[in-house]
């Protein structure tokens, strides 16, 4: 058997310590006769996942780990892992044992048999595949997400939500600079980022139930999926992070007006006091929501980071409010347009200011 690598398997992980030795054993059995390596990309799991991989790597040179400090996100973890191998073909598989590793040889054989093929995808929805023991609600949500991605991106996949695929490494490295790295669905990013439609084939597999650890699926993951779709459709016009920052700002205006109405109209507080409290409430709301969504990949944690971030965000937004008023007043006084246009220009300048400086000084310091 040649010493050249045939295949790299990238496994993004977060709190999957118990599954690491099981998955390595399963890969060893499934990939018998092949030269392969397993690259675990761990987002600094507090349960010691990275150390569990290192313990195996000490006796098995096919296994290694990339421990990411201060960075989070499945998509970016996959990109880093896929770019870290010298193997000509790289697969991505979840670390929770829900993907069927036994079809990896078949995926590799399909790529080796057809030089025109770019990517092989494990699908739950082609004939022979299945979702295992999913309940009706999860099946319905997955079907909705699948239809949405097919409509928005027109990639022609039966399972565009799949996180189980194999791709030629040279192709992946070439498109890596164009990948957004947003959310949990890296396959959508890859399929939409190519300068030509990628040639693919889907192989069936049955999705397994998780036996160890906790599911990472939550409402934020669903939100990130929608964000990824937006980025691929409109991100070149309005960057997705700025769009999210602005949308949260609009919601913050509603929070401001609600608090002001409650204090001034409902409780009879002085207008100035109500305005100050409403402003702080809106800034605080915007800070926490931006931390959870807009900057999820570099969100602040711990009371010290959160407090420092909140203070810097309020200072940035205070200066942005001054810039907003100043620009609007200048344009209105010199009659460069109707009053509404002057006001909107001020809002835009303030939003850009807040976004640029908070990206640098609130979420860019850690």
């Amino acid at each position: 058997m040649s010493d050249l690598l045939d295949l790299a398997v990238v496994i993004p992980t977060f709190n999957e310590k118990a599954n690491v030795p099981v998955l390595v054993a399963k890969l060893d059995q499934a990939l018998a006769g092949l030269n392969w390596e397993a690259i675990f990309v761990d987002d600094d799991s507090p349960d010691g996942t990275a150390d569990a991989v290192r313990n195996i790597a000490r006796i098995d040179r096919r296994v290694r780990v990339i421990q990411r400090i201060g960075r989070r996100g499945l998509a970016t973890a996959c990109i880093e892992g896929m770019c870290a191998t010298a193997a000509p073909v790289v697969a991505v598989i979840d670390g929770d044992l829900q993907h069927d590793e036994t079809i990896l040889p078949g995926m590799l054989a399909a790529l080796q048999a057809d030089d025109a093929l770019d990517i092989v995808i494990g699908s739950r929805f082609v004939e022979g595949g299945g979702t295992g023991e999913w309940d009706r609600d999860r099946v319905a949500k997955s079907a909705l997400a699948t239809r949405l991605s097919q409509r928005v991106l027109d990639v022609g996949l039966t399972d565009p939500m799949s996180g189980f695929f194999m791709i030629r490494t040279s192709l992946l490295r070439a498109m890596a600079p164009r990948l957004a790295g947003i959310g949990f669905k890296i396959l959508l990013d890859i399929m939409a980022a190519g300068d030509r439609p990628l040639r693919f084939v889907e192989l069936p597999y049955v999705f397994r139930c998780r036996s160890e650890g906790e599911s990472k699926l939550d409402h934020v993951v669903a939100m990130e999926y929608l964000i990824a779709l937006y980025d691929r459709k409109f991100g070149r016009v309005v960057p997705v992070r700025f769009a999210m920052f602005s949308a949260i700002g609009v919601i913050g205006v509603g929070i401001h007006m609600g608090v002001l109405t409650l204090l001034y109209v409902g409780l009879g507080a002085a207008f100035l006091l109500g305005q100050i409290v409403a402003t702080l409430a809106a800034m605080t709301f915007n800070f926490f929501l931006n931390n959870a969504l807009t900057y999820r990949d570099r969100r602040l944690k711990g009371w010290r980071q959160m407090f420092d971030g909140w203070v810097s965000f309020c200072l940035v937004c205070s200066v942005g409010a001054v810039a907003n008023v100043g620009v609007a007043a200048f344009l209105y006084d010199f009659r460069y347009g109707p009053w509404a246009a002057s006001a909107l220009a001020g809002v835009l300048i303030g939003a850009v200011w807040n976004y640029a400086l908070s990206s640098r000084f609130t979420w860019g310091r850690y």
Side-chain angles (χ1 to χ4, degrees), residues 23-70:
L23 179 55
V24 172
K26 285 180 174 291
L27 290 175
D28 184 54
Q29 184 175 6
L31 299 175
L34 296 171
N35 278 335
W36 57 275
E37 66 173 349
I39 305 173
F40 288 82
V41 186
D42 184 66
D43 284 354
D44 199 25
S45 300
D47 75 341
T49 297
D51 285 335
V53 179
R54 290 189 189 98
N55 289 337
I56 296 174
R58 292 178 64 188
I59 58 175
D60 189 340
R61 294 184 177 181
R62 299 173 301 180
V63 178
R64 56 192 174 107
V65 62
I66 299 172
Q67 184 174 357
R68 307 203 305 168
I69 307 299

Side-chain angles (χ1 to χ4, degrees), residues 228-348:
L229 289 181
Y230 168 90
D231 183 66
R232 274 299 152 202
K233 195 70 175 178
F234 307 109
R236 293 183 181 179
V237 179
V238 179
V240 63
R241 208 186 291 271
F242 180 72
M244 292 177 63
F245 189 91
S246 301
I248 290 172
V250 171
I251 299 173
V253 172
I255 298 294
H256 181 109
M257 296 306 295
V259 172
L260 179 59
T261 301
L262 174 64
L263 294 177
Y264 179 63
V265 178
L267 301 179
F271 178 79
L272 179 59
L273 175 62
Q275 185 75 347
I276 292 172
V277 174
T279 299
L280 286 174
M283 286 180 177
T284 301
F285 171 85
N286 287 5
F287 167 73
F288 280 101
L289 199 56
N290 275 309
N291 192 59
L293 296 177
T294 310
Y295 297 96
R296 179 174 169 81
D297 58 330
R298 41 179 154 144
R299 61 188 178 275
L300 306 178
K301 302 175 185 177
W303 72 268
R304 182 61 184 272
Q305 283 191 12
M306 294 291 283
F307 179 75
D308 289 350
W310 176 77
V311 171
S312 67
F313 183 77
C314 289
L315 289 174
V316 164
C317 291
S318 297
V319 177
V322 173
N324 178 345
V325 173
V327 169
F330 173 82
L331 294 177
Y332 178 75
D333 288 343
F334 286 89
R335 304 198 181 279
Y336 285 117
W339 66 268
S342 299
L344 288 174
V347 169
L348 179 60

Side-chain angles (χ1 to χ4, degrees), residues 5-9 31 34-37 87-91 104 108 166:
L5 274 174
D6 297 311
L7 172 68
V9 182
L31 299 175
L34 296 171
N35 278 335
W36 57 275
E37 66 173 349
V89 176
V90 60
L104 286 170
L108 179 61
M166 188 179 292

Side-chain angles (χ1 to χ4, degrees), residues 103-297:
I103 74 167
L104 286 170
M107 297 169 82
L108 179 61
L111 280 173
Q112 291 176 335
D114 186 355
D115 291 338
L117 194 60
D118 297 311
I119 185 169
V120 180
I121 299 158
S123 173
R124 297 159 291 185
F125 304 123
V126 294
E127 185 177 355
T131 54
E133 298 180 14
W134 280 11
D135 58 35
R136 185 176 300 177
D137 180 62
R138 188 172 179 184
V139 171
K141 289 178 180 177
S142 179
L144 175 62
T146 296
R147 289 196 300 271
L148 183 61
S149 62
Q150 289 172 335
R151 183 178 294 272
V152 172
L153 299 180
D154 191 27
V155 293
L157 296 174
T158 67
D159 195 359
M161 301 281 286
S162 178
F164 185 24
F165 60 89
M166 188 179 292
I167 188 171
R168 298 188 191 278
T169 315
S170 58
L171 175 63
L172 184 282
R173 282 196 293 264
M175 67 170 59
R178 300 192 296 274
L179 297 176
I182 297 173
F184 279 64
K185 300 303 175 185
I186 182 63
L187 178 62
L188 282 175
D189 204 4
I190 290 173
M191 295 301 293
D195 52 10
R196 58 171 175 78
L198 298 187
R199 294 175 289 269
F200 67 89
V201 66
E202 294 181 281
L203 299 184
Y205 80 99
V206 177
F207 200 73
R208 299 169 179 157
C209 292
R210 172 185 279 273
S211 58
E212 299 285 348
E214 297 181 357
S215 174
K216 310 303 188 296
L217 294 175
D218 57 21
H219 296 299
V220 175
V221 172
M223 178 66 73
E224 286 186 336
Y225 169 69
L226 296 176
I227 291 168
L229 289 181
Y230 168 90
D231 183 66
R232 274 299 152 202
K233 195 70 175 178
F234 307 109
R236 293 183 181 179
V237 179
V238 179
V240 63
R241 208 186 291 271
F242 180 72
M244 292 177 63
F245 189 91
S246 301
I248 290 172
V250 171
I251 299 173
V253 172
I255 298 294
H256 181 109
M257 296 306 295
V259 172
L260 179 59
T261 301
L262 174 64
L263 294 177
Y264 179 63
V265 178
L267 301 179
F271 178 79
L272 179 59
L273 175 62
Q275 185 75 347
I276 292 172
V277 174
T279 299
L280 286 174
M283 286 180 177
T284 301
F285 171 85
N286 287 5
F287 167 73
F288 280 101
L289 199 56
N290 275 309
N291 192 59
L293 296 177
T294 310
Y295 297 96
R296 179 174 169 81
D297 58 330

